[in-house]
Amino acid sequence: MDDLKQIAKNDLRSLRNSLLVESDKYLLPDFPISESKKEEWKTYRQALRELPETCPDVSYPEGGGELQNFTLPTKPE
């Protein structure tokens, strides 16, 4: 794997990790949320954890730019 591809994968993991941290609160036992919403957050977080494997073509465009070839899961409302 070339260096730029590895950097893109690492950056995707970093993005994923920050989104997981942001969503931690929704699964705390005392967070005021319905069980159905809690399940939505669990599903979202699982999709985030699977992100590196489900987006093997993540990359940066030649010449620089934004991370591409990946889709973030939809965050529950």
Side-chain angles (χ1 to χ4, degrees):
M1 179 181 306
D2 68 341
D3 290 339
L4 194 56
K5 184 79 164 171
Q6 187 60 49
I7 291 169
K9 285 187 171 289
N10 289 342
D11 288 351
L12 181 59
R13 283 187 188 94
S14 292
L15 173 60
R16 181 260 332 250
N17 290 345
S18 67
L19 292 171
L20 283 169
V21 168
E22 285 177 17
S23 65
D24 280 346
K25 66 183 178 184
Y26 297 104
L27 297 183
L28 292 173
D30 61 346
F31 192 82
I33 192 172
S34 69
E35 282 303 314
S36 62
K37 280 292 180 189
K38 189 175 279 197
E39 287 302 316
E40 288 179 31
W41 281 103
K42 286 180 182 179
T43 300
Y44 168 73
R45 289 169 53 84
Q46 182 60 43
L48 285 174
R49 284 191 287 283
E50 294 169 355
L51 197 57
E53 293 79 33
T54 59
C55 299
D57 297 325
V58 65
S59 63
Y60 282 108
E62 285 189 39
E66 298 290 319
L67 199 57
Q68 62 185 15
N69 299 325
F70 75 100
T71 302
L72 290 174
T74 303
K75 188 183 292 188
E77 294 184 20

